[in-house]
Amino acid sequence: MKRQCLCKWNMSSKNWKNAISELLTEFSFKTTTENLLQTALETRELADPTIIHEDIAIPHCRSILVDDFMIIIGKSNSGIPWPKEKVKVIILFITPVKPSGPSEHMELIKHLAKALRSGGAEKILSAESSAEAASILKLSYEEKPEND
Amino acid sequence: MIRELEKLISLHDLDIMISDLVNKDIIKQEKKLGLSPDLAAVKLRKMRDKLFLTIDRKHRDLYDQLAGHYGNAVVPVINLLCSGCFTQLPTAFCASPDRNDQVETCPSCGRFIYWCD
């Protein structure tokens, strides 16, 4: 089954913390949940920035605050310092904590690693639309409704 | 939500992150992506210890006991059920509008509980 993702094109953030916030906002979490997820993702980045390829970062965590996979692809034309090297594509994902353990989280990492190998990373950097970026990662693209 | 409860949730999420980064299969996949899970795990443990010390002693002692016993010490309440032991919580217990403004535990399993807002 293809996992769904959201996309945020033309991100306006000028630093990595704001970029995480800008992407989390797209999920329309309640304030407390969003703040706690922001903290978790920031903590992971502070431990070791998740830059996986020149120009691509994958902030991620597992959390008890979500009950389904939350995946969003962000793109910035000017690049966002992460915190030193600039990244242009951000693939943020949060996976739920399930009694079965981290197997689904691992499967998603494996899926992304596979999709980004063999030219996938270069393709996503040059993707011109949300649908194209989602397709490169073999995810199904979910357009965010105009009014929630 | 009361700050103490937020810290307990963050502590739980940090423990999950650390446990993921010592999982052999996840380490293998993260390394394939070019990440450094070993380094991240070491730094996250330091951050975890720092956060742990800011939590009230009685809560952190209980957290350790619960995490050791069940594997998860903090769980959300979903449809009036503790999602740790699936026991229905008393209605009166759930009725308070400021229910996340105090640290509560499940009357059945003792896990820390919070309500999804």
Side-chain angles (χ1 to χ4, degrees):
Chain A
M1 193 186 86
K2 265 192 174 182
R3 302 257 175 229
Q4 283 203 322
C5 73
L6 293 175
C7 291
K8 172 80 179 171
W9 234 235
N10 301 321
M11 291 179 67
S12 57
S13 299
K14 300 291 176 210
N15 65 60
W16 67 274
K17 286 187 182 182
N18 287 350
I20 289 174
S21 173
E22 188 178 352
L23 293 177
L24 282 178
T25 303
E26 293 293 305
F27 292 114
S28 307
F29 290 119
K30 295 283 169 57
T31 312
T32 307
T33 302
E34 189 174 312
N35 290 344
L36 288 168
L37 290 173
Q38 173 91 25
T39 303
L41 291 163
E42 278 183 16
T43 304
R44 175 66 183 85
E45 292 303 318
L46 287 168
D48 189 40
T50 59
I51 297 177
I52 55 165
H53 180 277
E54 198 180 337
D55 293 336
I56 302 176
I58 55 159
H60 62 281
C61 67
R62 267 201 309 147
S63 175
I64 49 171
L65 295 159
V66 300
D67 54 12
D68 202 357
F69 282 72
M70 300 284 158
I71 310 169
I72 183 163
I73 305 168
K75 191 157 188 191
S76 160
N77 292 330
S78 53
I80 299 166
W82 208 272
K84 291 173 188 166
E85 295 166 54
K86 277 193 172 185
V87 301
K88 289 188 172 174
V89 169
I90 300 155
I91 305 162
L92 183 152
F93 58 95
I94 306 161
T95 56
V97 175
K98 292 193 174 174
S100 53
S103 55
E104 289 185 310
H105 178 75
M106 192 195 69
E107 283 305 315
L108 181 60
I109 296 178
K110 197 174 171 180
H111 172 93
L112 292 174
K114 196 175 169 189
L116 289 167
R117 275 200 305 265
S118 330
E122 289 76 14
K123 279 183 195 164
I124 201 166
L125 283 163
S126 58
E128 288 181 358
S129 70
S130 303
E132 188 186 346
S135 149
I136 292 162
L137 293 181
K138 296 182 174 56
L139 298 169
S140 79
Y141 168 52
E142 176 192 354
E143 201 151 357
K144 200 185 171 197
E146 287 292 320
N147 297 306
D148 288 333
Chain B
M1 185 182 281
I2 189 173
R3 184 75 190 114
E4 184 78 353
L5 187 54
E6 288 183 7
K7 285 182 189 174
L8 287 164
I9 293 172
S10 293
L11 183 67
H12 184 269
D13 277 353
L14 254 172
D15 280 342
I16 295 276
M17 267 190 246
I18 294 166
S19 69
D20 284 352
L21 291 172
V22 294
N23 176 306
K24 280 181 188 170
D25 294 328
I26 292 182
I27 289 175
K28 190 177 158 190
Q29 294 306 326
E30 291 227 350
K31 282 187 174 170
K32 272 188 187 173
L33 277 167
L35 298 176
S36 311
D38 307 331
L39 173 68
V42 170
K43 288 190 180 173
L44 284 173
R45 275 199 198 96
K46 283 183 187 164
M47 291 176 186
R48 191 251 187 223
D49 293 345
K50 211 170 160 182
L51 173 65
F52 191 68
L53 290 174
T54 68
I55 295 171
D56 187 288
R57 185 167 193 154
K58 70 172 188 276
H59 292 145
R60 62 188 202 224
D61 287 349
L62 181 57
Y63 179 96
D64 272 348
Q65 279 178 32
L66 291 164
H69 187 67
Y70 295 117
N72 59 343
V74 190
V75 293
V77 174
I78 300 167
N79 298 328
L80 300 185
L81 296 177
C82 162
S83 62
C85 65
F86 303 103
T87 299
Q88 178 140 21
L89 300 169
T91 313
F93 195 62
C94 306
S96 168
D98 53 359
R99 52 203 179 181
N100 278 333
D101 285 345
Q102 49 203 329
V103 176
E104 294 279 10
T105 54
C106 168
S108 176
C109 67
R111 288 179 176 95
F112 292 106
I113 49 176
Y114 69 93
W115 281 261
C116 304
D117 55 3

